[in-house]
Amino acid sequence: MAHVACSPLRKQLILGNKSYADVTHDVADLLDQKPSALWYVGMFISVAMLALGVWATTYQLMTGIGTWGLNNTVGWAFDITNFVFWIGIGHAGTLISAILFLFKQKWRTSVNRSAEAMTIFAVICAGLFPIIHMGRPWLAFWVIPYPNLRGPLWVNFRSPLVWDMFAISTYFIISLTFWYVGLIPDLATLRDRTTSKIKKAFYSFFSLGWNGSNRTWSRYETVYMLLAGLATPLVVSVHTIVSWDFATSVIPGWHTTIFPPYFVAGAVFSGFAMVLTLMLIARKVMKLEEYITLHHIESMCKIIIATAGMVGLAYITEFFVALYSGNEFERFTFINRALGPYAWAYWTMVTCNLVVPQFFWSKKIRQNLTAVFVLVALINVGMWFERFVIIVTSLSRDYLPSSWAHYSPTCIEVATLIGSFGLFFTLFLLFVRYLPVISIGEVKGVLKYGRVATSPTETIHTPVRKEVAV
Amino acid sequence: MFERCNDKQRHLVKHQHHKPRHANVDSRFFGRKFTTSPSLERGLKASTIVGAAVFVIGLFIAPERAWPNALLAALYLLSISLAATAFLALLYVTNAGWASAIKRVPEALASTLPFGAFLMLLVLIGTPHLYEWSHSDVVAQDALLQRKTFWLNVPFFVLRSVIYLGLWVFFARKIVGNSQLVDRDGGDALREWKRKKTASAIFLVVFALTFTLASMDWIMSLQPHWYSTIFGIYNFAGMFLNGLAVITVLVILMKRWGPFEHILHGEHLHSLGKLIFAFSTFWMYIWFSQYLLIWYANIPEEVTYFVYREEGSWLVFTVVNVLFNWVIPFVALLPAWTKRHEGFLLRVCIIVMIGHWIDLFWMIMPPFMPNVPSVGIWELFPMLGVASAFIALTFRALARQNLVPLHDPFLSESLPLQT
């Protein structure tokens, strides 16, 4: 496993010439301090959004999903768009934590903790939409196949919606486990630092008796590796199955074989845009610039270029094959997307997902944080519209022109979407307040990375601050 | 997680850029030359001539089998060079350090790209024998084909093929290009590396678009009614998997025959093994995605593709295809030790290489052998012939230079850590 970073081209991952103790202090002190005013402002806005969502959800559950803009033709629209959008957001977290781990990408250590947290929160947001869509969420457990007394009523194993249930719940469990296992060494660090008895009891319980011995670390690394190996096929399976919700049908624009890899690439693409949004705010607000450096941001921008390229290739392929197929329904669907009543949504999608990421080819733009922030926000918008375009345009005008219909969302639907953002940000803000946002243990492992090559004689200096008594 | 450089490695790094002269490079990396034996060269030549002769005879006796096999052979060899080029491009754009020491092997394969391109151009002569849409009388009776003539017509088809091949040869040159020059006169390795990185990034974009279209043109249009949007990705997965297997085989041979002795170590094999494992699984994922969606929707235009391939003895090919490209590599490479075991990995790679041939056979042949697939003299001899020529050319490319890239900026990361 030994990997030597010798090339002069390697950049330092952690700046500021930190010692090991500095890392512990920098990250753990954030949890001891009172939160900043900015945190309270953020929390206030998030909770307000969440409250709006709770109100909207309560209202639509009491009244029925007739409060949405759906009609006979367009039976899936806003809620499923939100579902796919949120599931997609989650994928970047697993990519960073599992796939980049398997590829031995050291820079992941500064961002993986919060990206994984983001995954979990995004999956929670995503899961809400199908449950609300059921209309009677208290019967949601009916999607689980188990011996029951409901007569011949049983799930249809050939339905991708059932596969969805399996894929997403497995994904949620594994993501949570992966995140928690990664947290254990840091929880032990917090346990050893804290002076409060309650906190100590809490951290002691959850750090599972971690003692930092060689054997513990070795077992831990094995488990982590195995979980990374498990999470990788899982993350691919989740969005693959989400894409099958559409692609197993015979609806033009939905039934296309490229959907599985295209959805996975799109998910990672949108997820990275969201990770960057969160990281740019977090590093600024929590003063983590030396941990989440420009190098990290540039790396993520490069992944966005790559995944945007894959998504772009899928757009072009779909359009091309629709023309090539000679099938008039296929051809119509794509021309309708570009020129029909939802053309504005289509061109928003193309601009945000195909054109905007190309700016990241420029190093100057990658290093301009304001520009990056604006561009990734646009990508988030674009990826939401991608799902909207796929779902709504194909349904609203399919084979029978007599049953064509237009869909537009109601304010209840918009309020539910806002509510999901509120939930997401509330959970994220709670996370940064109560758990270490940066993986202390893993960052220590890459502390010296890239330092040797720049100045061979330099040694890591001794701690300047005293360790808090434990 | 990682270790600090030891003195020897730091010494290497320091002198790579400040004084790019041979004097400062570890002398152990010199003289890493590969030489082919004259008897081997003679054998390859003879085999090439026999293969070519059988093909020419086949053109007269059984053109309906000769041409599809020529297409298969050309695609197989072209795809190896193309995969090697894509592999190098990926190494450059991802700043991968682990493979620096062995990168001369994919470079040799990539520099053989013009040969594959030449074969592909020859195959285009056989367009009337291969593609039913090239016959105006067939098109006249087929409403669907009439709607496709904007794309499927001979002049445009040939023009497109020439453009794809031209672009690939151009970029392969850019990416492999002056690599050897840097070794010889110690030139500015870092600047050269950056130039190649830029070329690689542009190549990957161009390659994604052209390869998707090329695989649809050359293979998908053999059954012109059928279409599948994932087809380009499916072909990429198979091509890249096979390319990795070929690279691994050559790397292991270079160790057994001398030049990579003490250079190639378990880490390299482990990484290559992991990539083969990953791309094998990726291939299966794409195979299954295509199959499931077509099976599930059951649209006549689409489903005929698999109906063809599930009937009679073609089912055997379908099963063997999946076995060789995924089941066997997956099970075999699951434990860590097999990926680091030279002999074991070599055998798995050979299975993958046969598997890719079967995969191409499975994609190309059914329209020509609708009932019973047959593999005989017309299939095997021409393939062996061009493969021999390809091997000879690759060996020549390998013999042209020192096999350790002396001034690669990542070389120190790729060398054995404990010597």
Side-chain angles (χ1 to χ4, degrees):
Chain A
M1 287 304 286
H3 176 79
V4 182
C6 293
S7 170
L9 295 174
R10 297 293 181 208
K11 290 189 184 109
Q12 236 172 294
L13 288 180
I14 310 296
L15 303 176
N17 209 14
K18 307 256 180 225
S19 68
Y20 291 127
D22 289 340
V23 177
T24 310
H25 284 294
D26 288 348
V27 180
D29 283 354
L30 288 170
L31 307 177
D32 298 334
Q33 296 154 1
K34 278 232 174 279
S36 62
L38 220 53
W39 186 87
Y40 280 108
V41 173
M43 198 63 182
F44 178 78
I45 297 171
S46 308
V47 172
M49 284 159 71
L50 176 59
L52 180 70
V54 170
W55 168 79
T57 311
T58 315
Y59 176 76
Q60 66 202 345
L61 287 182
M62 288 171 70
T63 322
I65 52 171
T67 50
W68 298 353
L70 300 180
N71 48 51
N72 270 345
T73 305
V74 186
W76 273 7
F78 217 73
D79 57 327
I80 302 298
T81 303
N82 296 337
F83 161 71
V84 182
F85 172 76
W86 279 119
I87 280 283
I89 295 294
H91 281 49
T94 319
L95 188 103
I96 291 176
S97 55
I99 299 179
L100 292 188
F101 176 77
L102 295 180
F103 277 113
K104 299 183 186 169
Q105 294 297 303
K106 305 290 174 200
W107 59 271
R108 68 181 268 289
T109 50
S110 295
V111 287
N112 71 334
R113 172 70 44 76
S114 32
E116 285 165 40
M118 183 194 80
T119 296
I120 293 162
F121 306 147
V123 175
I124 292 172
C125 291
L128 289 175
F129 287 96
I131 292 176
I132 297 173
H133 194 152
M134 288 174 189
R136 295 178 196 170
W138 49 92
L139 297 179
F141 64 92
W142 283 16
V143 300
I144 300 167
Y146 65 97
N148 61 65
L149 298 173
R150 296 193 294 271
L153 197 56
W154 193 250
V155 296
N156 177 6
F157 280 109
R158 273 198 181 184
S159 161
L161 300 180
V162 175
W163 310 341
D164 250 348
M165 188 278 298
F166 283 114
I168 293 166
S169 48
T170 315
Y171 181 50
F172 182 71
I173 293 165
I174 291 293
S175 298
L176 196 63
T177 313
F178 199 33
W179 185 60
Y180 172 60
V181 168
L183 264 169
I184 293 173
D186 286 6
L187 290 175
T189 306
L190 295 176
R191 171 198 67 193
D192 298 342
R193 276 172 52 98
T194 188
T195 45
S196 140
K197 270 201 173 143
I198 302 165
K199 278 189 186 171
K200 197 169 186 89
F202 174 83
Y203 291 137
S204 300
F205 180 79
F206 282 103
S207 56
L208 306 178
W210 178 273
N211 59 12
S213 70
N214 191 19
R215 178 182 290 198
T216 316
W217 272 110
S218 138
R219 294 271 155 82
Y220 165 83
E221 284 183 2
T222 309
V223 170
Y224 201 83
M225 174 75 101
L226 287 175
L227 279 174
L230 265 179
T232 303
L234 252 176
V235 69
V236 175
S237 81
V238 171
H239 230 71
T240 297
I241 292 173
V242 168
S243 81
W244 288 345
D245 292 346
F246 308 104
T248 50
S249 69
V250 291
I251 295 174
W254 280 19
H255 176 72
T256 167
T257 48
I258 205 173
F259 258 26
Y262 155 42
F263 266 50
V264 174
V268 174
F269 175 53
S270 68
F272 264 90
M274 188 61 96
V275 174
L276 267 172
T277 309
L278 292 176
M279 289 302 120
L280 286 171
I281 299 172
R283 74 194 283 275
K284 185 93 190 151
V285 174
M286 305 173 82
K287 302 198 174 53
L288 293 171
E289 282 97 339
E290 285 167 336
Y291 293 92
I292 303 167
T293 63
L294 279 182
H295 173 55
H296 291 94
I297 289 165
E298 273 203 75
S299 302
M300 289 192 263
C301 289
K302 286 177 190 167
I303 292 185
I304 287 186
I305 300 178
T307 46
M310 296 176 200
V311 170
L313 180 66
Y315 290 171
I316 295 167
T317 309
E318 267 193 321
F319 219 115
F320 167 70
V321 172
L323 291 179
Y324 171 88
S325 72
N327 179 325
E328 57 183 304
F329 297 106
E330 288 282 339
R331 282 185 179 183
F332 171 78
T333 301
F334 282 89
I335 290 165
N336 179 46
R337 276 185 193 176
L339 304 171
Y342 293 105
W344 59 276
Y346 180 81
W347 292 108
T348 310
M349 162 190 120
V350 170
T351 315
C352 292
N353 297 344
L354 221 58
V355 181
V356 164
Q358 307 312 326
F359 286 105
F360 288 139
W361 286 92
S362 145
K363 197 182 178 79
K364 256 192 192 149
I365 290 176
R366 289 200 301 264
Q367 293 191 330
N368 180 341
L369 299 182
T370 324
V372 173
F373 191 78
V374 173
L375 292 175
V376 294
L378 286 173
I379 292 171
N380 278 321
V381 173
M383 281 310 287
W384 188 89
F385 271 102
E386 179 193 296
R387 281 67 176 246
F388 183 81
V389 166
I390 291 171
I391 295 171
V392 176
T393 60
S394 291
L395 283 181
S396 74
R397 290 184 165 188
D398 63 359
Y399 298 103
L400 278 179
S402 59
S403 50
W404 284 2
H406 195 79
Y407 163 83
S408 51
T410 61
C411 53
I412 293 293
E413 287 174 283
V414 178
T416 317
L417 174 62
I418 294 173
S420 69
F421 272 96
L423 176 64
F424 179 75
F425 286 115
T426 307
L427 290 170
F428 195 80
L429 286 167
L430 287 174
F431 156 72
V432 300
R433 178 76 194 91
Y434 291 106
L435 287 169
V437 268
I438 283 180
S439 173
I440 303 172
E442 284 195 74
V443 161
K444 283 179 183 173
V446 299
L447 203 54
K448 298 177 197 165
Y449 186 93
R451 270 195 212 176
V452 177
T454 42
S455 54
T457 50
E458 175 229 354
T459 48
I460 307 290
H461 70 80
T462 45
V464 281
R465 281 178 288 185
K466 274 194 171 168
E467 281 281 1
V468 175
V470 289
Chain B
M1 299 283 263
F2 77 100
E3 291 158 15
R4 296 185 65 165
C5 301
N6 61 33
D7 287 340
K8 201 187 293 161
Q9 285 158 337
R10 194 178 303 139
H11 171 82
L12 270 172
V13 171
K14 252 166 91 176
H15 295 284
Q16 262 177 23
H17 305 293
H18 302 305
K19 294 179 204 158
R21 289 286 141 208
H22 287 345
N24 299 313
V25 177
D26 196 320
S27 61
R28 289 174 308 158
F29 306 139
F30 285 114
R32 296 293 185 164
K33 282 257 185 180
F34 166 69
T35 41
T36 46
S37 70
S39 60
L40 182 69
E41 289 234 340
R42 271 200 301 276
L44 289 172
K45 254 180 210 160
S47 151
T48 309
I49 292 166
V50 172
V54 172
F55 172 68
V56 172
I57 296 167
L59 285 183
F60 294 102
I61 298 179
E64 77 288 349
R65 280 173 75 177
W67 281 114
N69 278 295
L71 175 67
L72 197 167
L75 280 174
Y76 190 89
L77 299 177
L78 181 64
S79 75
I80 293 174
S81 302
L82 207 48
T85 315
F87 179 71
L88 284 168
L90 285 171
L91 291 181
Y92 281 116
V93 297
T94 56
N95 291 354
W98 65 274
S100 286
I102 55 166
K103 82 169 185 187
R104 290 290 183 243
V105 167
E107 277 182 359
L109 288 168
S111 67
T112 320
L113 187 62
F115 177 64
F118 170 69
L119 288 178
M120 196 59 223
L121 285 177
L122 285 185
V123 169
L124 292 180
I125 299 171
T127 303
H129 294 275
L130 289 168
Y131 302 99
E132 59 171 291
W133 51 259
S134 64
H135 299 276
S136 48
D137 51 326
V138 176
V139 176
Q141 289 165 10
D142 192 319
L144 202 54
L145 288 188
Q146 280 163 23
R147 259 182 261 165
K148 296 192 182 200
T149 45
F150 80 98
W151 190 260
L152 296 180
N153 60 72
V154 178
F156 191 27
F157 175 77
V158 173
L159 177 70
R160 284 197 306 271
S161 303
V162 172
I163 293 174
Y164 307 144
L165 295 168
L167 282 170
W168 297 343
V169 171
F170 172 78
F171 277 102
R173 274 182 169 242
K174 282 268 168 215
I175 291 166
V176 180
N178 296 327
S179 202
Q180 299 101 312
L181 277 181
V182 178
D183 271 2
R184 208 176 304 145
D185 52 24
D188 190 349
L190 201 58
R191 204 190 310 141
E192 193 55 39
W193 179 82
K194 280 188 177 150
R195 214 178 286 151
K196 286 183 189 307
K197 186 172 175 171
T198 314
S200 299
I202 300 168
F203 168 71
L204 287 173
V205 176
V206 171
F207 168 71
L209 288 169
T210 50
F211 186 76
T212 306
L213 291 177
S215 58
M216 289 181 176
D217 276 343
W218 295 336
I219 307 178
M220 200 166 93
S221 79
L222 290 168
Q223 281 176 281
H225 286 193
W226 182 72
Y227 57 89
S228 169
T229 42
I230 208 173
F231 199 73
I233 302 171
Y234 177 76
N235 272 277
F236 167 75
M239 176 205 78
F240 203 72
L241 172 63
N242 185 43
L244 288 169
V246 174
I247 291 168
T248 311
V249 166
L250 270 183
V251 162
I252 293 174
L253 287 180
M254 286 305 117
K255 185 189 174 191
R256 292 196 172 170
W257 294 346
F260 276 163
E261 216 174 338
H262 304 301
I263 298 283
L264 186 76
H265 55 111
E267 280 299 309
H268 292 135
L269 293 179
H270 198 175
S271 301
L272 286 167
K274 280 188 275 191
L275 281 175
I276 291 171
F277 178 82
F279 274 91
S280 169
T281 307
F282 179 67
W283 176 89
M284 188 69 237
Y285 164 61
I286 301 297
W287 192 99
F288 183 69
S289 296
Q290 176 166 276
Y291 181 79
L292 179 105
L293 292 176
I294 289 176
W295 167 80
Y296 204 113
N298 209 8
I299 298 171
E301 270 167 28
E302 286 186 355
V303 87
T304 44
Y305 183 79
F306 283 105
V307 170
Y308 257 125
R309 286 160 180 78
E310 280 175 1
E311 270 173 2
S313 333
W314 274 109
L315 183 63
V316 178
F317 268 82
T318 306
V319 172
V320 172
N321 189 16
V322 170
L323 270 178
F324 276 35
N325 279 298
W326 182 65
V327 179
I328 296 174
F330 180 83
V331 175
L333 295 179
L334 206 47
W337 70 268
T338 55
K339 291 184 278 257
R340 303 178 80 98
H341 189 291
E342 210 182 278
F344 201 103
L345 194 57
L346 190 68
R347 284 170 180 81
V348 175
C349 286
I350 290 168
I351 289 173
V352 167
M353 285 162 64
I354 299 169
H356 187 58
W357 187 83
I358 292 172
D359 192 20
L360 282 172
F361 192 87
W362 180 83
M363 281 191 277
I364 293 172
M365 294 301 176
F368 304 101
M369 305 173 174
N371 305 313
V372 188
S374 55
V375 178
I377 177 173
W378 309 121
E379 278 69 34
L380 296 176
F381 275 72
M383 182 69 214
L384 289 179
V386 283
S388 305
F390 181 84
I391 294 168
L393 287 170
T394 310
F395 280 173
R396 250 181 235 171
L398 281 170
R400 224 174 282 144
Q401 59 200 307
N402 193 23
L403 282 186
V404 176
L406 299 172
H407 297 287
D408 188 285
F410 287 119
L411 181 63
S412 54
E413 290 184 13
S414 183
L415 290 171
L417 304 176
Q418 283 89 35
T419 41

